[in-house]
Amino acid sequence: MKEEIVISKALDGVELTGILFSETEKKKKVVVSIHGMATNCIKTREIEIAKKVTEIGMDYYTFNNRGHDLVNYIQKGTGKGSLAGTAYEEISECYEDIIGVMKNLIDKGYEDFYLMGHSLGSTKLVYTYHQLQEKKQNEYLAKIKGIMLLSLIDIPMAISIYLGENYPVMLTYAKNQERENSSMILMPEQAFIHPISVKTFLRYTRDKQDIDFAQYSNELYSFDELNAIKTPLFMRWGTVRELIAQKPDQLVKQLTDKISNSSLDINFIEGADHSYTGKEEQLASEIQNFLRKQQ
């Protein structure tokens, strides 16, 4: 398996560094991985999936989106630099990242794309796909042949459960800081599992409407965004320290009943945590099986 550093540019000019895994000869099909919070594109899970993907004649590209690690510094084109990373990112800018990467890989000769997200990366992926549909960007939609969502979670609900009775306190604190033009300061340590700015905290709580499509605890929710995915759909969760309120088997049954995708491959991996630690090879094998069916 060959490894190559490939730097893409987001639509707004932000540089995104990634690794392209391939066999000696590049293929026309590529899996693109979008990581989640407080992490980056280099991890055991990525390497194991890359091995399985390249075994069946596809290439694999994993890259650092602008939300990588807790804090990083980005520059949009020739504009002024700004703070990014998990603590400061604006999630809607994922569209700039994902489509910028697709554009770069299309220029390199790739024709068929299988997009995979993990955790917040899954949220970003569904958001971007929905934006492509809203913008009628059919030239990109036609190239997306499969969607893989690993541990898609209900982020607003997870924050609410995590904070418990402190939720309204923290929300009021954030609103007060915003009124005082202090949106870039960090929330109190107990407000989130990672350091997070006031503006990003409010984005996941108060201003959540356009990313609140994983409402697993809402029995009346119709999952319109997931049902709008027109490609084969792969979904997985773990069973240990997974960030969902339901038991994994109950969630799988619920979504099987709610999602009408005719090529839905949905399940959980027993013993896996939210990051699939120690279960990377099993996850990679299940992804490989899903991709084989699409060839």
Side-chain angles (χ1 to χ4, degrees):
M1 185 171 62
K2 179 182 176 183
E3 302 169 16
E4 176 187 356
I5 300 295
V6 173
I7 298 176
S8 300
K9 277 198 173 182
L11 295 181
D12 58 3
V14 175
E15 283 199 349
L16 310 167
T17 302
I19 304 174
L20 179 66
F21 295 89
S22 63
E23 295 300 334
T24 53
E25 181 181 349
K26 286 191 176 68
K27 309 300 180 186
K28 298 295 184 182
K29 299 180 180 182
V30 62
V31 174
V32 177
S33 174
I34 301 106
H35 66 72
M37 290 183 181
T39 186
N40 52 57
C41 68
I42 304 172
K43 56 180 69 68
T44 301
R45 186 178 69 241
E46 300 289 346
I47 295 171
E48 290 301 320
I49 298 173
K51 289 177 184 176
K52 295 295 186 182
V53 168
T54 55
E55 276 180 8
I56 58 173
M58 297 184 184
D59 291 350
Y60 186 82
Y61 184 59
T62 176
F63 70 99
N64 282 345
N65 61 60
R66 71 188 65 200
H68 73 84
D69 300 295
L70 288 174
V71 179
N72 69 74
Y73 197 69
I74 62 172
Q75 184 172 357
K76 300 177 182 179
T78 58
K80 184 180 179 181
S82 59
L83 290 171
T86 290
Y88 294 98
E89 76 171 318
E90 163 51 51
I91 190 171
S92 65
E93 293 178 343
C94 65
Y95 179 88
E96 310 287 323
D97 291 351
I98 295 171
I99 303 307
V101 164
M102 285 188 69
K103 184 176 184 299
N104 182 39
L105 294 177
I106 289 168
D107 290 344
K108 290 182 178 296
Y110 290 99
E111 298 174 355
D112 295 344
F113 288 77
Y114 299 83
L115 305 182
M116 181 183 77
H118 173 253
S119 193
L120 182 64
S122 291
T123 303
K124 291 177 176 181
L125 181 47
V126 176
Y127 174 87
T128 297
Y129 189 90
H130 185 61
Q131 285 297 302
L132 287 173
Q133 291 177 319
E134 289 282 300
K135 299 173 188 290
K136 297 183 174 15
Q137 296 290 314
N138 295 326
E139 69 273 26
Y140 289 107
L141 287 168
K143 293 182 182 298
I144 299 173
K145 305 301 183 180
I147 296 288
M148 293 170 282
L149 305 176
L150 310 180
S151 295
L152 173 66
I153 65 169
D154 184 344
I155 295 175
M157 178 61 70
I159 295 174
S160 176
I161 292 173
Y162 176 75
L163 286 174
E165 62 185 16
N166 285 328
Y167 181 83
V169 175
M170 289 301 169
L171 188 57
T172 298
Y173 172 87
K175 291 177 181 178
N176 289 339
Q177 293 302 319
E178 181 185 54
R179 280 194 289 269
E180 295 176 9
N181 296 317
S182 298
S183 293
M184 293 299 285
I185 70 169
L186 294 177
M187 291 287 292
E189 183 178 352
Q190 65 270 30
F192 198 65
I193 56 175
H194 303 299
I196 190 171
S197 65
V198 166
K199 78 177 186 72
T200 304
F201 179 85
L202 287 173
R203 184 68 169 94
Y204 294 147
T205 52
R206 184 193 64 190
D207 306 324
K208 62 188 179 180
Q209 289 78 10
D210 59 347
I211 60 169
D212 195 18
F213 40 71
Q215 297 183 35
Y216 305 142
S217 298
N218 181 355
E219 294 183 1
L220 301 179
Y221 192 66
S222 58
F223 296 94
D224 289 343
E225 291 83 357
L226 293 178
N227 275 307
I229 293 175
K230 302 304 181 185
T231 71
L233 178 60
F234 176 97
M235 303 182 76
R236 289 295 186 275
W237 293 267
T239 63
V240 180
R241 297 188 301 279
E242 184 58 282
L243 303 179
I244 53 177
Q246 300 79 8
K247 292 182 178 179
D249 58 339
Q250 294 174 342
L251 180 57
V252 167
K253 183 181 184 306
Q254 174 191 352
L255 292 183
T256 300
D257 293 338
K258 291 273 190 174
I259 299 175
S260 59
N261 191 300
S262 61
S263 297
L264 179 64
D265 183 339
I266 183 170
N267 214 329
F268 59 91
I269 294 180
E270 189 67 46
D273 60 17
H274 183 67
S275 298
Y276 301 88
T277 308
K279 298 291 183 177
E280 296 93 347
E281 187 174 353
Q282 180 179 345
L283 174 65
S285 294
E286 294 186 13
I287 289 171
Q288 184 189 66
N289 291 336
F290 171 75
L291 293 172
R292 279 187 193 277
K293 296 175 184 177
Q294 317 316 319
Q295 293 184 303

